[in-house]
Amino acid sequence: MLIDLKGITKSYQTGDVVTPVLHGITVGIDRGEYVAIMGQSGSGKSTLMNLLGLLDRADGGTYTLNGMDVTALDAAQQAEVRNKTIGFVFQSFNLLKRMSVAENVALPLVYAGASRGEAKKRATELLERVGLGALGGRMPNQLSGGQQQRVAIARALVNNPPLLLADEPTGNLDTKTTEEVLKVFEQLNREQGLSIVIVTHEPDVAHHAKRLVRLRDGLVVFDGAPAEGAHG
């Protein structure tokens, strides 16, 4: 199992006010799964995504990621696990405007100590995989929104993580472009066996996943086929 959450709780404190957000989340996700997490505003889905991505820490429960109990790791240890295990795709593409498409994709490898030649080769391979092999020399502002998101996907995969976390990745895209980006996710999941967890508030996006986890008031209220629960 790639992700194993047991009894995860999380609250936030503002002054003297404590606001519980997650009330004991128990969810397992196997390697190679494509899972959508849905829920209305305030349901806890963004908090859960931050916990999955080791961007925040649970108050209680255990989180086993890729065979390692990450619950008790300190911040530096969690950062190391995060960098090796998780690729992130966000609603905003977060591309560096003054760097070429290929340079944007290669950047995490360069930071990790890879040679520029190795990083460039890997970036070229990933741009081919997301259908942008001919555009590596362009600047981000020369690409459409959908193309920029595909660049962001390639960048997220450059360190070869087993898990891709996507937080509202189609939120800034029109319907046609959304379909193009979701097709890339489907291909990566089907052909590469990449595990994907996508947070979305859009039922049409959730339908592309193979499994839906729906949250309400910090609890899992549905876990099953998207066709049965996306509109529930």
Side-chain angles (χ1 to χ4, degrees), residues 86-129:
I86 305 169
F88 293 92
V89 178
F90 299 101
Q91 181 172 338
S92 54
F93 318 126
N94 297 333
L95 302 179
L96 298 179
K97 297 178 181 178
R98 296 186 179 182
M99 300 182 75
S100 72
V101 164
E103 288 170 336
N104 266 279
V105 174
L107 193 59
L109 268 186
V110 174
Y111 281 148
S115 69
R116 292 195 175 272
E118 179 186 349
K120 182 178 179 180
K121 181 178 181 227
R122 176 74 175 149
T124 300
E125 292 171 353
L126 283 164
L127 286 170
E128 290 281 357
R129 191 182 298 179

Coordinates of all heavy atoms in Angstrom, one line a residue, residues 86-129:
I86 N 7.0 12.4 -3.7 CA 5.8 13.1 -4.2 C 6.1 14.2 -5.2 O 7.0 15.0 -5.0 CB 5.1 13.8 -3.0 CG1 4.8 12.8 -1.8 CG2 3.8 14.5 -3.4 CD1 4.3 13.4 -0.5
G87 N 5.3 14.2 -6.3 CA 5.3 15.3 -7.2 C 4.0 16.1 -7.0 O 2.9 15.5 -6.8
F88 N 4.1 17.4 -7.1 CA 2.9 18.3 -6.9 C 2.5 19.0 -8.1 O 3.4 19.5 -8.9 CB 3.2 19.3 -5.8 CG 3.4 18.8 -4.4 CD1 4.7 18.4 -4.0 CD2 2.4 18.6 -3.6 CE1 4.9 17.9 -2.7 CE2 2.6 18.1 -2.3 CZ 3.8 17.7 -1.9
V89 N 1.2 19.1 -8.4 CA 0.6 19.9 -9.4 C -0.5 20.8 -8.8 O -1.4 20.3 -8.1 CB 0.0 19.1 -10.6 CG1 -0.6 20.0 -11.6 CG2 1.1 18.2 -11.2
F90 N -0.4 22.1 -9.0 CA -1.3 23.0 -8.4 C -2.2 23.7 -9.4 O -1.9 23.6 -10.6 CB -0.5 24.1 -7.5 CG 0.3 23.5 -6.4 CD1 1.7 23.3 -6.6 CD2 -0.3 23.1 -5.3 CE1 2.4 22.8 -5.6 CE2 0.5 22.5 -4.2 CZ 1.9 22.4 -4.4
Q91 N -3.2 24.4 -8.9 CA -4.1 25.2 -9.8 C -3.3 26.2 -10.6 O -3.5 26.4 -11.8 CB -5.2 25.8 -9.0 CG -6.2 26.6 -9.8 CD -7.4 27.0 -9.0 OE1 -7.7 26.5 -7.9 NE2 -8.1 28.0 -9.5
S92 N -2.5 26.9 -9.9 CA -1.6 27.9 -10.6 C -0.3 27.1 -11.0 O 0.2 26.3 -10.3 CB -1.2 29.1 -9.8 OG -0.7 28.6 -8.5
F93 N 0.2 27.4 -12.2 CA 1.2 26.5 -12.8 C 2.5 26.7 -12.1 O 3.4 25.8 -12.1 CB 1.3 26.7 -14.3 CG -0.1 26.9 -15.0 CD1 -0.3 28.0 -15.7 CD2 -1.1 26.0 -14.8 CE1 -1.6 28.2 -16.3 CE2 -2.3 26.1 -15.4 CZ -2.6 27.3 -16.2
N94 N 2.8 27.9 -11.6 CA 4.0 28.1 -10.8 C 5.3 27.9 -11.7 O 6.3 27.4 -11.2 CB 4.1 27.3 -9.5 CG 3.0 27.6 -8.6 OD1 2.5 28.7 -8.5 ND2 2.6 26.6 -7.8
L95 N 5.2 28.3 -12.9 CA 6.4 28.2 -13.8 C 7.2 29.5 -13.7 O 6.6 30.6 -13.5 CB 6.0 28.0 -15.3 CG 5.1 26.7 -15.5 CD1 4.8 26.6 -17.0 CD2 5.9 25.5 -15.1
L96 N 8.5 29.4 -13.8 CA 9.4 30.5 -13.7 C 9.4 31.2 -15.1 O 9.8 30.6 -16.1 CB 10.8 30.1 -13.3 CG 10.8 29.5 -11.9 CD1 12.3 29.1 -11.5 CD2 10.3 30.5 -10.8
K97 N 9.0 32.4 -15.2 CA 8.8 33.1 -16.4 C 10.1 33.3 -17.2 O 10.0 33.4 -18.5 CB 8.1 34.5 -16.2 CG 6.7 34.3 -15.6 CD 6.1 35.7 -15.3 CE 4.7 35.6 -14.6 NZ 4.1 36.9 -14.3
R98 N 11.2 33.5 -16.6 CA 12.4 33.8 -17.3 C 13.2 32.6 -17.7 O 14.3 32.7 -18.2 CB 13.3 34.7 -16.4 CG 12.6 36.1 -16.1 CD 13.6 37.0 -15.4 NE 12.9 38.3 -15.2 CZ 13.5 39.3 -14.6 NH1 14.8 39.2 -14.2 NH2 12.8 40.5 -14.4
M99 N 12.7 31.4 -17.4 CA 13.3 30.1 -17.8 C 12.5 29.5 -18.9 O 11.3 29.6 -18.9 CB 13.5 29.2 -16.6 CG 14.3 29.8 -15.5 SD 14.5 28.6 -14.1 CE 15.7 27.5 -14.8
S100 N 13.2 28.8 -19.8 CA 12.5 28.0 -20.8 C 11.7 26.9 -20.2 O 11.8 26.5 -19.1 CB 13.5 27.5 -21.9 OG 14.2 26.4 -21.3
V101 N 10.8 26.4 -21.1 CA 10.0 25.2 -20.7 C 10.9 24.1 -20.2 O 10.6 23.5 -19.1 CB 9.1 24.8 -21.8 CG1 8.5 23.4 -21.6 CG2 8.0 25.8 -22.1
A102 N 11.9 23.7 -20.9 CA 12.8 22.6 -20.5 C 13.5 22.9 -19.3 O 13.7 22.0 -18.4 CB 13.7 22.3 -21.7
E103 N 13.9 24.1 -19.1 CA 14.6 24.5 -17.9 C 13.7 24.5 -16.7 O 14.1 24.1 -15.6 CB 15.2 25.9 -18.0 CG 16.4 26.0 -19.0 CD 16.8 27.4 -19.3 OE1 15.9 28.4 -19.2 OE2 18.0 27.6 -19.7
N104 N 12.5 24.8 -16.8 CA 11.5 24.7 -15.7 C 11.3 23.3 -15.3 O 11.3 23.0 -14.1 CB 10.1 25.3 -16.2 CG 9.9 26.7 -15.8 OD1 9.6 27.1 -14.7 ND2 10.2 27.6 -16.8
V105 N 11.2 22.4 -16.3 CA 11.1 21.0 -16.0 C 12.3 20.4 -15.3 O 12.2 19.6 -14.3 CB 10.7 20.2 -17.2 CG1 10.7 18.7 -16.9 CG2 9.4 20.6 -17.8
A106 N 13.5 20.8 -15.7 CA 14.7 20.2 -15.2 C 15.1 20.8 -13.9 O 15.9 20.2 -13.1 CB 15.9 20.5 -16.2
L107 N 14.5 21.9 -13.5 CA 15.0 22.6 -12.2 C 15.1 21.7 -11.0 O 16.1 21.8 -10.3 CB 14.1 23.8 -12.0 CG 14.7 24.8 -11.0 CD1 16.0 25.4 -11.4 CD2 13.7 26.0 -10.8
P108 N 14.0 20.9 -10.7 CA 14.1 20.1 -9.5 C 15.3 19.2 -9.5 O 15.9 18.9 -8.4 CB 12.8 19.3 -9.4 CG 11.9 20.2 -10.2 CD 12.7 20.8 -11.3
L109 N 15.7 18.6 -10.7 CA 16.8 17.7 -10.8 C 18.1 18.5 -10.5 O 19.0 18.0 -9.9 CB 16.8 17.1 -12.1 CG 16.1 15.7 -12.3 CD1 16.4 15.1 -13.7 CD2 16.6 14.7 -11.2
V110 N 18.2 19.7 -11.1 CA 19.4 20.5 -10.9 C 19.6 20.8 -9.4 O 20.7 20.7 -8.8 CB 19.3 21.8 -11.7 CG1 20.5 22.7 -11.3 CG2 19.2 21.6 -13.2
Y111 N 18.5 21.1 -8.7 CA 18.5 21.4 -7.2 C 19.0 20.1 -6.5 O 19.6 20.2 -5.5 CB 17.2 21.8 -6.7 CG 16.9 23.3 -7.0 CD1 15.6 23.7 -7.2 CD2 17.9 24.2 -7.0 CE1 15.2 25.1 -7.4 CE2 17.6 25.6 -7.2 CZ 16.3 26.0 -7.4 OH 16.0 27.3 -7.6
A112 N 18.6 18.9 -7.0 CA 18.9 17.7 -6.4 C 20.4 17.2 -6.6 O 20.8 16.2 -6.1 CB 17.9 16.6 -6.8
G113 N 21.1 18.0 -7.5 CA 22.5 17.7 -7.7 C 22.8 17.0 -9.0 O 24.0 16.6 -9.2
A114 N 21.8 16.8 -9.8 CA 22.1 16.2 -11.1 C 22.9 17.1 -12.0 O 22.8 18.3 -11.9 CB 20.8 15.8 -11.8
S115 N 23.6 16.5 -12.9 CA 24.3 17.3 -13.9 C 23.3 18.0 -14.9 O 22.2 17.5 -15.0 CB 25.3 16.4 -14.7 OG 24.6 15.6 -15.6
R116 N 23.7 19.1 -15.5 CA 22.8 19.8 -16.4 C 22.5 18.9 -17.6 O 21.4 19.0 -18.1 CB 23.4 21.1 -16.8 CG 23.5 22.1 -15.7 CD 23.7 23.5 -16.1 NE 23.7 24.5 -15.0 CZ 22.6 25.0 -14.6 NH1 21.4 24.8 -15.1 NH2 22.6 25.9 -13.6
G117 N 23.4 18.1 -18.0 CA 23.2 17.2 -19.2 C 22.1 16.2 -18.8 O 21.2 15.9 -19.6
E118 N 22.3 15.6 -17.6 CA 21.3 14.6 -17.2 C 19.9 15.2 -17.0 O 18.9 14.6 -17.4 CB 21.8 14.0 -15.9 CG 20.9 12.9 -15.3 CD 21.3 12.4 -13.9 OE1 22.4 12.8 -13.5 OE2 20.5 11.7 -13.2
A119 N 19.9 16.4 -16.4 CA 18.6 17.1 -16.1 C 17.9 17.4 -17.5 O 16.7 17.3 -17.6 CB 18.9 18.3 -15.3
K120 N 18.7 17.9 -18.4 CA 18.2 18.3 -19.7 C 17.6 17.1 -20.4 O 16.5 17.1 -21.0 CB 19.2 18.9 -20.6 CG 18.7 19.4 -21.9 CD 19.8 20.1 -22.7 CE 19.3 20.5 -24.1 NZ 20.3 21.2 -24.9
K121 N 18.3 15.9 -20.4 CA 17.8 14.7 -21.0 C 16.5 14.2 -20.4 O 15.6 13.9 -21.1 CB 18.9 13.6 -20.9 CG 18.5 12.3 -21.5 CD 19.6 11.3 -21.4 CE 19.2 10.0 -22.0 NZ 19.5 8.8 -21.3
R122 N 16.5 14.2 -19.1 CA 15.2 13.8 -18.4 C 14.1 14.7 -18.7 O 12.9 14.3 -18.9 CB 15.5 13.8 -16.8 CG 14.3 13.4 -16.0 CD 14.0 12.0 -16.0 NE 12.9 11.7 -15.1 CZ 12.0 10.8 -15.3 NH1 12.0 10.0 -16.3 NH2 11.1 10.5 -14.4
A123 N 14.3 16.1 -18.7 CA 13.3 17.0 -19.0 C 12.7 16.8 -20.4 O 11.5 16.8 -20.6 CB 13.8 18.4 -18.9
T124 N 13.6 16.5 -21.4 CA 13.2 16.2 -22.7 C 12.3 15.0 -22.8 O 11.3 15.0 -23.5 CB 14.4 16.1 -23.7 OG1 15.2 17.2 -23.6 CG2 14.0 15.8 -25.1
E125 N 12.7 14.0 -22.1 CA 11.9 12.7 -22.0 C 10.5 13.0 -21.5 O 9.5 12.5 -22.1 CB 12.6 11.7 -21.2 CG 13.9 11.1 -21.7 CD 14.6 10.3 -20.7 OE1 14.2 10.2 -19.6 OE2 15.6 9.7 -21.1
L126 N 10.4 13.8 -20.4 CA 9.1 14.0 -19.8 C 8.2 15.0 -20.7 O 7.0 14.8 -20.7 CB 9.3 14.6 -18.4 CG 9.7 13.5 -17.4 CD1 10.2 14.1 -16.1 CD2 8.5 12.6 -17.1
L127 N 8.8 15.9 -21.3 CA 8.1 16.8 -22.2 C 7.5 15.9 -23.4 O 6.3 16.2 -23.8 CB 8.9 17.9 -22.7 CG 9.2 19.0 -21.7 CD1 10.3 20.0 -22.2 CD2 7.9 19.8 -21.4
E128 N 8.2 15.0 -23.8 CA 7.7 14.1 -24.9 C 6.5 13.3 -24.3 O 5.5 13.1 -25.0 CB 8.8 13.1 -25.3 CG 9.9 13.7 -26.1 CD 9.5 13.9 -27.6 OE1 8.4 13.5 -28.0 OE2 10.4 14.5 -28.3
R129 N 6.6 12.9 -23.1 CA 5.6 12.0 -22.5 C 4.3 12.8 -22.3 O 3.2 12.2 -22.4 CB 6.0 11.5 -21.1 CG 5.1 10.5 -20.5 CD 5.6 10.0 -19.1 NE 6.9 9.4 -19.1 CZ 7.5 9.0 -18.0 NH1 6.9 9.1 -16.8 NH2 8.7 8.5 -18.1

